[in-house]
C-alpha cells in the first residue's frame, strides 16, 4: 500500500476479479506506486522495473491458489490486490493504488474484498512497510493487529558451514517433516507454498541427526522467502550452509525480537528497511526460529 495526499472527492469504485488482460496496467500501477513511496522515504525500490512487477503478476494471475482483484473507477483500473489462499492462513499482497487515485477509497475497497474472500480461513496476514503511515492506519482500522517488527537483512555470513549439519536441496520426501516443523513453530503448515517453491525457486533443508531441523523456500529472493527451524542454531546452520553455494547475497525479513536478528548483525549482514507483520484472526506466538515472506 502506498501513500500520498488524498484526492479531492471519493470515487465510485467497483471491485472485480482481475483478468489476464488487466496485468499490464496493474503492473504499471504497482511499479509506480511502490516506487513512489520508496523514493519519498529514501529506501530501495521493491520492484526494479515495470517488467519485474508484470512478471510477478502474471505468475499470480495464472495460479489456482491466488485470488486477484482490481478496483475500477469510470471503467479504468485504479488498483489491485491479491489473496494467497493455498494454505490454511491467507496472505495478502501486493496491494497498490494508482498514485493519481490514492486517498479516494480504492485501497480500503481492495482490502475489504480480500478480507471478505478470506473470511472462512482461520486467519489472514500481511507485511507492511512500517514507514508507511497511511497503510498502517488502514490495516489497523480494518482489524489487523501488529504482531512482529521485522527488518529486511541482506549480505553474506562471515562464518562458514556448521559442523554436523547437512544443508541440501529440498526433496519431495522432506515435505512431511517440513510440514510438521512448521506446525510446531507456527501452529499451521505452509506445505502447498513450499511445494510451489520447488518449481519457482530452490528450497533448502538443514538436516541434523537424520532429521529436517530447518527449511527455507529461498534465502535470496526476500519477498517469497520464508523459513522455520527448531532452534536458532539450526536456522543459523541453514543460512551458513546456503551462503557457501549461492551467488547472490542472502536476503530475508528477520524478526527484530529474536536471536536471529542479532546473529545477522554479528555476521555482517546489513539492515535495508523495516516492516511489520500484521494479522487478522487466529495467531499463535511462534515457538522456534523463523522468518516470514512478504505475505506472512
Amino acid at each position: 500500500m502506498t501513500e500520498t495526499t488524498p484526492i479531492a472527492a471519493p470515487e465510485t469504485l467497483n471491485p472485480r476479479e482481475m483478468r489476464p488482460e488487466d496485468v499490464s496496467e496493474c503492473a504499471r500501477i504497482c511499479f509506480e506506486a511502490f516506487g513512489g513511496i520508496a523514493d519519498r522515504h529514501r529506501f530501495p525500490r521493491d520492484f526494479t522495473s515495470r517488467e519485474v512487477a508484470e512478471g510477478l503478476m502474471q505468475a499470480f494471475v495464472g495460479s489456482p491458489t491466488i485470488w486477484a482483484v482490481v478496483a475500477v473507477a469510470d471503467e479504468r483500473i485504479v488498483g489491485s490486490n491479491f489473496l494467497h489462499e493455498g494454505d490454511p492462513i491467507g496472505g495478502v499482497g501486493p496491494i497498490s493504488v494508482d498514485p493519481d487515485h490514492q486517498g479516494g477509497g480504492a485501497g480500503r475497497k481492495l482490502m475489504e474484498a480480500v478480507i471478505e474472500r478470506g473470511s472462512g480461513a482461520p486467519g489472514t496476514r500481511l507485511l507492511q512497510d512500517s514507514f508507511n503511515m497511511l497503510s498502517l492506519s488502514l490495516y489497523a482500522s480494518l482489524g489487523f493487529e501488529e504482531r512482529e517488527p521485522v527488518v529486511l537483512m541482506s549480505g553474506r555470513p562471515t562464518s562458514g558451514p556448521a559442523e554436523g549439519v547437512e544443508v541440501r536441496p529440498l526433496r519431495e520426501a522432506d515435505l512431511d517433516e517440513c510440514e510438521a516443523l512448521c506446525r510446531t513453530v507456527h501452529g499451521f503448515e505452509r506445505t502447498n507454498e513450499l511445494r510451489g517453491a520447488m518449481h519457482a525457486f530452490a528450497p533448502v533443508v538443514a538436516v541434523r541427526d537424520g532429521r529436517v531441523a530447518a527449511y527455507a523456500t529461498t534465502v535470496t529472493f526476500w519477498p517469497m522467502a520464508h523459513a522455520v527451524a527448531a532452534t536458532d542454531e539450526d536456522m543459523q546452520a541453514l543460512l551458513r550452509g546456503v551462503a557457501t553455494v549461492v551467488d547472490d547475497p542472502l536476503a530475508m525479513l528477520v524478526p527484530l525480537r529474536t536471536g536471529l536478528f542479532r546473529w545477522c548483525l554479528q555476521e555482517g549482514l546489513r539492515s535495508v528497511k523495516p516492516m511489520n507483520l500484521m494479522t487478522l484472526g487466529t495467531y499463535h506466538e511462534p515457538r522456534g526460529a523463523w522468518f516470514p515472506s512478504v505475505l506472512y
Side-chain angles (χ1 to χ4, degrees):
M1 182 67 186
T2 54
E3 61 180 338
T4 190
T5 302
I7 61 178
E11 297 181 283
T12 300
L13 298 161
N14 299 298
R16 63 162 172 80
E17 289 194 28
M18 185 183 292
R19 303 163 185 160
E21 59 267 26
D22 299 330
V23 167
S24 180
E25 178 64 4
C26 290
R28 180 196 65 80
I29 291 170
C30 183
F31 175 68
E32 293 180 0
F34 274 89
I37 187 172
D39 292 348
R40 286 196 297 276
H41 291 273
R42 299 187 178 182
F43 285 101
R45 289 189 169 209
D46 293 335
F47 299 98
T48 55
S49 69
R50 177 174 172 175
E51 289 72 23
V52 171
E54 186 163 347
L56 185 68
M57 288 192 170
Q58 285 178 339
F60 284 175
V61 171
S63 171
T65 63
I66 300 174
W67 185 70
V69 60
V70 297
V72 178
D74 296 328
E75 300 185 353
R76 176 188 172 189
I77 294 173
V78 298
S80 64
N81 199 5
F82 300 83
L83 180 65
H84 303 250
E85 51 188 5
D87 287 309
I89 300 296
V92 178
I95 174 175
S96 56
V97 175
D98 191 312
D100 293 335
H101 292 262
Q102 291 173 11
R108 180 171 292 273
K109 286 284 189 180
L110 290 166
M111 284 301 300
E112 289 172 344
V114 299
I115 290 172
E116 181 180 0
R117 172 79 178 192
S119 60
T124 303
R125 303 184 182 186
L126 56 83
L127 271 288
Q128 178 265 343
D129 286 322
S130 57
F131 50 83
N132 186 339
M133 294 297 98
L134 286 185
S135 69
L136 177 64
S137 300
L138 171 61
Y139 302 149
S141 71
L142 290 169
F144 282 83
E145 296 186 56
E146 194 278 332
R147 294 294 187 179
E148 187 72 41
V150 302
V151 64
L152 173 58
M153 303 294 294
S154 179
R156 288 184 176 276
T158 55
S159 300
E163 294 185 4
V165 179
E166 178 191 9
V167 178
R168 59 165 174 78
L170 173 77
R171 302 167 184 160
E172 185 77 23
D174 299 322
L175 288 175
D176 287 345
E177 282 192 83
C178 292
E179 179 172 307
L181 183 59
C182 192
R183 281 184 173 274
T184 298
V185 173
H186 288 299
F188 58 84
E189 76 275 3
R190 299 177 73 168
T191 307
N192 286 332
E193 183 180 351
L194 183 56
R195 183 177 285 109
M198 296 176 71
H199 302 286
F201 306 109
V204 293
V205 294
V207 179
R208 187 189 296 273
D209 298 326
R211 295 192 61 82
V212 172
Y215 80 79
T217 52
T218 172
V219 293
T220 57
F221 184 62
W222 67 268
M224 303 307 292
H226 89 261
V228 295
T231 66
D232 283 346
E233 291 75 17
D234 293 323
M235 182 69 81
Q236 295 164 16
L238 182 143
L239 296 175
R240 290 167 61 183
V242 173
T244 65
V245 297
V246 296
D247 295 329
D248 295 327
L250 305 188
M252 61 271 183
L253 295 170
V254 177
L256 288 178
R257 300 184 299 166
T258 65
L260 180 61
F261 174 60
R262 292 183 291 276
W263 177 83
C264 286
L265 294 175
Q266 293 166 1
E267 291 288 324
L269 278 72
R270 66 183 182 90
S271 304
V272 178
K273 74 167 183 173
M275 301 188 78
N276 288 318
L277 169 66
M278 302 187 74
T279 72
L280 182 69
T282 301
Y283 180 76
H284 300 288
E285 192 72 26
R287 297 177 297 175
W290 62 286
F291 58 79
S293 69
V294 78
L295 301 174
Y296 66 94

